[in-house]
Structure formats: structure tokens, C-alpha cells
Amino acid sequence: MAGALLSAIVEKLGTFISSEFALTGSVEKEVQKLETKFRTIQAVLNDAEKRQLKEEAVKLWLDKLKGVSYEMDDVLDEWNTAMIKEEIEKQQKEDENAEISTTKKRKVWSLILVPNLFQQRDIAHKIKELNEIFDEINKEREMYGFELCKAIEEVVERPKTTSYVDVSDILGRDKVKDDLVSIILGKGTEKEKYPHVISLVGMGGMGKTTLAQLAFNHHEVKDYFEKKIWVCVSEPFDQCRVAKAIVEALAGADPKITELQSLLEKCCELIGGKKCFFVFDDVWTEDYAMWKPFRDALKSSGSQSSRILVTTRKDKVAKMMESTNTIKLEELSEEDCWSVFSKIAFSDKNPKQCEQLEDLGRQISKKCKGLPLAAKTLGSLMHFKKSREEWKNILDSNFWKLEDIERGLFAPLLLSYYDLPSPLKQCFSYCAVFPKDHLFFVDELVSMWIAHGFVESKGNLEMEIMAREYLENLVIRSLFQESREFRHMGYYKMHDIVHDFAQSITKNECFIISSDIESESDYNNARHLRLEIPKESQFPMSIDSAKNLRTLFFFDQSGYNISNLFQNFRLLRVLTLNSTMELPHAVENLIHLRYLDLLKCNEVLLETIYNLCNLQYLKITQASDSVFTKLPQGIGKLINLRHLVGKNFLIPRGIGRLISLRALKCFSISDEDSEGCKLGELKNLNHLQGSFEIHGLGNVVDESEAENAQLKKKIHLREMILSFRKGKDRGWRDAWFPYAVDPNDRRMERDVLVLNALEPPQDLEQLNIRWYQGTTMSPNWLMSLTKLKRVSIVSATKLMSLPPFGKFALLESLTIRNVCSLEKVGVEFLGIESENKKVDIIFPNLRYLGFAWLEEWEEWIGIGGKEDADCITIMPRLQRLEIHGCGKLKSLPNFLHTIPLNELEIAGCPIINERCQRETGEDWHTISHIPIINLKENSYFPKF
């Protein structure tokens, strides 16, 4: 972790010196000194981080180094903040003296101003103090005699594995073992890719090596293969050592050869077309070039029936080795985990002792969360403990604080940890501030990593993309897992034992406090804190000493005066605040803040929040759905804001200056409110990503305003919701109130012109249009959206015909709802033009089609005669068709009988219901091939 921190500081110092900032001579000199000292320390950091595990004095030295590095980071951030504020003030004065027109280009802020003399003097003094502290750290560095430029050695000794195993000791893997053996013995074919690689993937301690040993020693495997070779590969991947081990296993003697080429030639000679079974245990390298010589040698000399089994912690290794089969080892079941634990823990206890301790043992076993190594390690620990009191103490303890557990259980995880690049170490260890079983939402977690500066910039690559790659890397290395329950929503979890490990390596920096009991912990070096004090409990005063906090998750249950937060914790980068209390004006003191999550926010957000010019992420969750949060008029000063997350915002003018915005879920257009936001403010927000809603398009007075929004330049957007409701659109609540139709026909004409002028980006995948009041919907840009997958038209109450959606090749879902003026759906909907019916496939990828509350709909016209049917294929992949609340619909189209529908649901459509009655209905022949048919008298489908 110290390595990543120092690298970031050195980079900032170098940038600081070489930038256009006009430094005074004294400041520049002090900064240059610091940069030199940081670089000197950086050269020996690998050696120091290795030695800290065994030398307490070195660990204390590293803690001191991290402390001064954090301080330096704060000083540089103060300087940069002063730059930003000076430039904002300058720009504001320029704006006040000039009339801003909608066509004026926004000036790009160069940030070249210099803080005032007082600020320079203050920062120079702080840098000088840090230089003096660093002199002392440097002297200690020389005293410890750290080695320069030395590649990091093994921090934890990597255990050497063998093929031997006591089968009687293995529990809970019978099914996986049988499946693995079956794959190993599977008959190969001539077309099969060779060499045939099978990979076992899982986190450290999951039992990969044990399972490989079981397969290696299985009697059928022994009988089937002519040669079996076990190689413990480990890290680093030494090609000559691995080749030598293969030759030695095949020849039965040391080959006395040292060159890789000669060793591989000997391998090929000894294999000689025999059926061989290779096990490469504990592979870490992702470098294909290291593996390729072995792959080529085995391919040229081995039998098609040979097999290679690989154990690894990384998915990338399995992919690099071109695995034919990959088995991901899951946790043991609760009962299997108990069997592993109890067999060891109770091995020499009499039945009475076992009975007395079983209830506690089962609870301890549950803490292993299915990890075999944890069950074995804890079982070994409890083997020597006899009394209930001893067992109860272990149950109530934090496992990572137990020396035996830390040494035995965390050693494999340390190998995974030290294999991480420096930035990933920071990202991983930061997660110790979250509680066990926490669901990590990708967008929130990566935003926090970015806020702390953990994510390294890489050319023009988006920081969010880099951060997601970091998370993917941690998942690949089995340090994170996809949440089974919420996988589709982008949530991840961390295994309890991995979480314990993360806490063990951050025990002086990350804290979770969920009790009002005063702790003996020293919070002076605390950097990240989660506070969940129970309601009516006394707030622990010892927290006030944590003045170096950079993260605070505060869940106010105790009536604590939150103004104290902003007095004591001024170095915060990340703040989550769950409180219905108003933010105090002192919030502007949090100048380093990058991430602010306000839960249960009231209606007014303090104007002073715009002083947080470093803010990157602002999330607002209202106390209730009826609350609208009014953003401050100075919102345009938050020039570093990347994410503005929430709904029901009253957005003022000035948001168009936030050209760094990546996420703005909801944009409401003002009507009569002179201070409100106009559509043209979107013009320069071209970094917006993901989903984007525009409400109040009915307030747009002419199409030129829609053109000014330049939506087509928002090329990173994938989903858009365009709501034409007039006034302040309150989202779903508006659905329950009648739409106030403008008696002036100009409104219908204007909506057509505005929709045509909006022109979304061409890579859009989802489009939702609501409350549109035009009679037609055929904007010029519609057919250019060739990547559309989901479309819904809702409450377009004046619409008389549908667009030619059948032409959209990728469209998977289409919903038409509350289009109550529509009377007929014909060939124009399918995209068939009357003069040219020669179309191959219509709706080629549509899976779902829904019509609801088309109250005037009478006709769904099919295609012509047999000639048309022979040359046209309609909806070949449609799985579900729903028709709700269409009381006047007279019949179903004739092409329905050719569609391979899985499910048809008709509700609140009395005429169609009658025509679709089994065997007797006039349309029964059209739908009789459908497996699931639901005919209902009333519709439950929402109208709006």
C-alpha cells in the first residue's frame, strides 16, 4: 500500500514542479528537495515492505512514512484547490461583466492562477516542516540498510506441493472430484483442440491442490495414462525448472541439462506419443510467452488422449492456457464444512466432550463460510482447547487477531495480495472499512476509489473504465465474487475470510464502530471509518481524535451534532451522511471532499456546497419520494463533478459548465421559473454516459432550443427517456394524474418539431418516449438508431400511427402503452412499404411485444396473400406477446400462426378473448400452437 501512495506523491510533485504554476523560489526549492527524498525512499520500498512482516521496527518506520506521505498529499491538494477557486472567481467576474448568450463558447479553464501571498506562505511553511520530518525518515532508512533496486523476494514462503494425499482426510468434494475425473478420462476426438487443458480456479484455501491430488491418485486415472507428471509451478514461473521437473519425472533421474531448448527436446523424446497426464499446480503467470514453449512441445509429441490439469487463482491464467474446461471451485456446503472442522477438532475428544461443545463448534464452523482451509485451520486450533469457555472466546473473537489463524490461514491470501499491482492493493485493502456480507455496488465502489486517487490515469482512458478493470482484476484473482442474488444488478461480495484478511492488513487505518462502548483503539492514524451507533446510544467521544480521516460513513442514530463532523474531520475525501438534519454551513470546510452521499436529504441543499470545488461525486437520496431537492444556484462552480446521482432535482442554470459530468440521471426543463434550467445547457455535456432522462420537454418553446442540446454528440449514452410532460415532471407520481392537454393545437405541432430536433446519439440501445402529444412519430433520426434493443412508447395520447419498428434489426423488446388515439396497426408498423413488399425478415430479434391500454385500437392488420407470406418472415424469435386493456380490438393478425411464440397473454380485451377460446374461437387456429395461453377478464397492467 505504501508503494502506491509514494508513487502517487512522486507523480504529483513532479507535475507540480513542471507545471505552469508560478512558484516562489523558496516553495520550488522545498518541493524539489521533497521529490528527491521521495524518489530515494521509493527505491528501497520493496525491501522495506518485505521486512515489515518480521521486523516491528520496520513496520513502524513504514507507518511513519505513510503518515508524512498523506500529509504531503493534503498540502498539494490545498494548493491545487486554491488554484481552482482563484480561477472560478476570475471566471465569475468575467461572466458578471459580460452578457452570456446561448451561442457563446465556454472558456476552457486553464488553472494557471496563483494563490495569494498568504496562502503561498502557509503552504511553503508546511512543506518545510514536512522536509524536516523526512530528513529523520531518511536517516532511519540508512540505519536499517534497505537494499536498493532489489526485486521483491518472497514475502511469504510459497509451499511446495506434491501429488501425495490422504484420501480419508478429504470431505465434501465427491461430486466435483467425480466430474473432474470424468473430464480427464473423456475420449478425445481428432477435431479436439490439443493440448487439452483443464483448469481448476478458486481463491487461496479453496482446495484446488487437494482436488488435483485426488484426481492424480484416482485408480481409473492411474490405469488410463501411461505417464503421470506432477509439477509445482508457483511464482516466478521458471521455465527451465519446470522443464527439468517434467524430464526428471519421466526419466526418473536428474537430466543434468540446463538449457531450455535441450530440456524440451528431452521432454518430447521421453513423451514419444504416450498418453500422459500432467498436473501444473499453482500457476500464477498470465504471460502466454512463458507457456507457449511447453504448449508447442506437448502438442508435437503427446497423444491426443493426453490431459493437462492446471490449478490457479486467476481466471486469466485459465484463458491464457486456452483451457478446454474450467472448473470454478465453490465454497463447501455448511454441513460439509462442519464435517471437515469437526473431524479435526474432535479427533481425540470423548463423546461427552463432543456433545458439550458441538453447538459452539457449529457456530465457529459457520464463520468459515465454506472455505476448506479455514475449516482445517480452525479445527486444528480447537483440537487443543477443551473447555466451553475457551471455545466461546474463540467464537466471540475477531479471527484475524488470533496469531495462529493469521499465520496459518492468511499466508495463502498474502500471496494473492502481494501479487497485486500497487494501485490494486490500495483498492482491495480499502474495502476493510465495509462490514462483512456487504454488497458492493460497482458504480459506488469505483467512484470511491477514484475519489481517493487510487486509480492511475492511463492516456485518454476514462477513470471509471480503469477502476472497473481493477475490480475485474480482483474478481479474476478470486478476491471478490459476484453476488449470486444480485448478479444482474452489478453487485459483488467479499468472502468473510478475505474480509478478515483485509482488516488484518489495515488494522491501524480502517475501523468499523457499531457500539457506544469506548474502545482502547488509537484513532490518531485512522484513515477510514464506518460509524453505525445504535439509536439512543451515547456517541463515543474517542472518535474526535480521528482527525486524519479520509473516509467517513456516518449513520446518525444517536442525535449527534453533525456540525462537529465538519470541524474535526477536515481531510475527508469520502463522506456518506445518513441524517435528516440540515447540513451546517461548515460543510464548505471540507475542501478535499470528492465523494458526498446524502441519504435522507431535505428539500434545500446548502448554497455553500458549491465551495467544494474538488467534488467529483454527489449522490442525493430524498427523505421521501414527494421531496424535490433544490440544487444550489452556484452548481456551475463544481467544475470537477463527474456524477450527479439522484432524482427529483430542481436544476438551476449553470449546470452547463459541468463539462466533466459523466452521470446525470435526470434533467428537468423549467417552465416559468426564470432561474430554472433550459435544454440548451446540455450543449457541452458530451461526456454523459449510461442512462439519461429529460423531463419537461413540453416546456420547450421552439425546436432551436432542442437543437442547442446537441444530444447526438453524447456518444457514450446508451439509454434515453424523453418525457414531454409540461410543468415540473415528478416521475412516476405524474402517472396517476390526468394529463393536462393544451387546448391549443400548437402544442401538438411543437412536440413533433422538438422530437425531430433532439436527435439522440446513434449508438443508443434503449429509447423511452413519454407524454408525447404529436399525431405522428417519424423524426428524421429514428431509422439511424440501428443499435436499438429496447423501445417503449408511453402515454403518447394523440399518436395516430406507429413508426416502422419492424426494420430495427437488433430490437428485442417493444412496449406500446396508453396510446389511446391509435385505431389501426398495419404494415407500416412492420416496416413493409406498399410499393415494395420484398423484405426478408421483420423484427428479426424481437423477444417481447406488449400493447396496453390502446382504447381506440380496432384493427391489427396482417399481411396479404400466400405470395406475401412466402417471401416474408415475421418475428422469428418472439417469445412473449401481451395485449392488455384493448377493448375494441376485433381480431389478431393472420401472421401470428407462423410465429414460434412461447407465451401469449390477453387481458381486458373481451372481443379477442371470445375469439381465442379453445377449439371454438375464430382465432383459435392462429394461436393453437402456443404452449402457454393466458386469457384474463381484467388487466393488471399499469396504464401510464
Side-chain angles (χ1 to χ4, degrees), residues 374-515:
K376 291 176 183 177
T377 304
L378 280 168
S380 298
L381 178 67
M382 305 317 295
H383 176 79
F384 299 102
K385 299 187 183 299
K386 309 295 183 184
S387 69
R388 279 186 65 86
E389 184 180 1
E390 288 177 300
W391 281 56
K392 187 72 166 62
N393 287 338
I394 296 297
L395 176 62
D396 294 339
S397 66
N398 286 321
F399 284 173
W400 59 267
K401 291 183 178 179
L402 301 173
E403 187 176 338
D404 291 340
I405 297 297
E406 188 170 7
R407 185 170 55 248
L409 182 56
F410 292 164
L413 295 175
L414 268 171
L415 292 175
S416 292
Y417 176 74
Y418 278 101
D419 185 59
L420 295 173
S422 287
L424 267 70
K425 287 179 184 174
Q426 284 188 304
C427 292
F428 168 74
S429 58
Y430 177 71
C431 297
V433 75
F434 296 92
K436 285 185 179 179
D437 291 322
H438 181 78
L439 282 174
F440 293 93
F441 181 51
V442 175
D443 289 348
E444 289 182 351
L445 185 58
V446 302
S447 295
M448 291 178 190
W449 287 347
I450 292 169
H452 281 294
F454 297 159
V455 182
E456 293 181 334
S457 56
K458 192 175 181 180
N460 294 324
L461 198 62
E462 286 282 296
M463 298 285 278
E464 286 79 5
I465 293 175
M466 283 291 296
R468 283 184 174 86
E469 285 185 9
Y470 285 8
L471 180 59
E472 184 181 333
N473 248 305
L474 293 172
V475 173
I476 285 170
R477 295 162 188 265
S478 304
L479 294 172
F480 268 89
Q481 305 164 327
E482 283 186 328
S483 167
R484 293 174 187 170
E485 302 90 339
F486 304 101
R487 180 178 303 176
H488 62 290
M489 297 171 65
Y491 283 95
Y492 289 81
K493 292 184 73 173
M494 184 180 276
H495 192 283
D496 279 6
I497 302 299
V498 177
H499 183 272
D500 284 339
F501 170 70
Q503 285 191 316
S504 74
I505 59 176
T506 58
K507 51 192 169 188
N508 295 321
E509 292 193 11
C510 292
F511 293 89
I512 299 175
I513 300 176
S514 55
S515 166

Side-chain angles (χ1 to χ4, degrees), residues 668-673 677-679 695-702 705 723-729 739 747 750-751 754:
S668 295
I669 303 165
S670 173
D671 46 3
E672 296 83 13
D673 186 357
C677 203
K678 302 300 181 185
L679 192 57
H695 292 314
L697 284 167
N699 298 321
V700 178
V701 294
D702 61 63
E705 188 181 340
S723 173
F724 282 77
R725 191 169 183 83
K726 282 180 68 67
K728 294 181 176 67
D729 194 321
Y739 185 82
R747 166 63 199 277
R750 191 168 65 237
D751 276 12
V754 168

Side-chain angles (χ1 to χ4, degrees), residues 130-171:
L130 289 172
N131 252 322
E132 290 171 359
I133 297 172
F134 232 98
D135 285 336
E136 184 182 341
I137 292 174
N138 249 333
K139 287 177 185 176
E140 291 178 358
R141 172 188 63 81
E142 294 169 1
M143 179 182 70
Y144 290 123
F146 296 125
E147 296 188 40
L148 290 167
C149 303
K150 183 180 177 182
I152 191 164
E153 297 175 6
E154 293 299 332
V155 179
V156 180
E157 185 178 350
R158 296 178 186 269
K160 302 302 179 187
T161 63
T162 69
S163 63
Y164 299 106
V165 65
D166 185 348
V167 178
S168 65
D169 287 341
I170 310 305
L171 300 167

Side-chain angles (χ1 to χ4, degrees), residues 240-284:
C240 288
R241 184 181 63 79
V242 172
K244 195 171 182 179
I246 295 173
V247 172
E248 195 167 342
L250 291 168
D254 187 341
K256 307 296 183 185
I257 306 173
T258 56
E259 292 296 323
L260 179 62
Q261 178 64 32
S262 301
L263 285 166
L264 290 175
E265 287 174 358
K266 189 66 176 176
C267 282
C268 294
E269 178 189 328
L270 292 169
I271 291 170
K274 296 184 180 74
K275 283 193 296 186
C276 298
F277 179 44
F278 296 88
V279 174
F280 292 121
D281 186 42
D282 196 29
V283 181
W284 290 73

Side-chain angles (χ1 to χ4, degrees), residues 686-713:
N686 293 330
H687 292 294
L688 291 176
Q689 302 171 356
S691 176
F692 184 48
E693 302 181 27
I694 304 178
H695 292 314
L697 284 167
N699 298 321
V700 178
V701 294
D702 61 63
E703 63 271 26
S704 64
E705 188 181 340
E707 288 175 357
N708 285 339
Q710 294 288 295
L711 293 185
K712 63 183 177 183
K713 293 184 178 180

Side-chain angles (χ1 to χ4, degrees), residues 534-553:
K535 194 173 183 180
E536 308 301 333
S537 298
Q538 187 69 31
F539 198 87
M541 300 308 296
S542 56
I543 302 303
D544 289 342
S545 65
K547 298 186 185 296
N548 292 309
L549 280 183
R550 293 183 157 222
T551 298
L552 178 61
F553 300 127

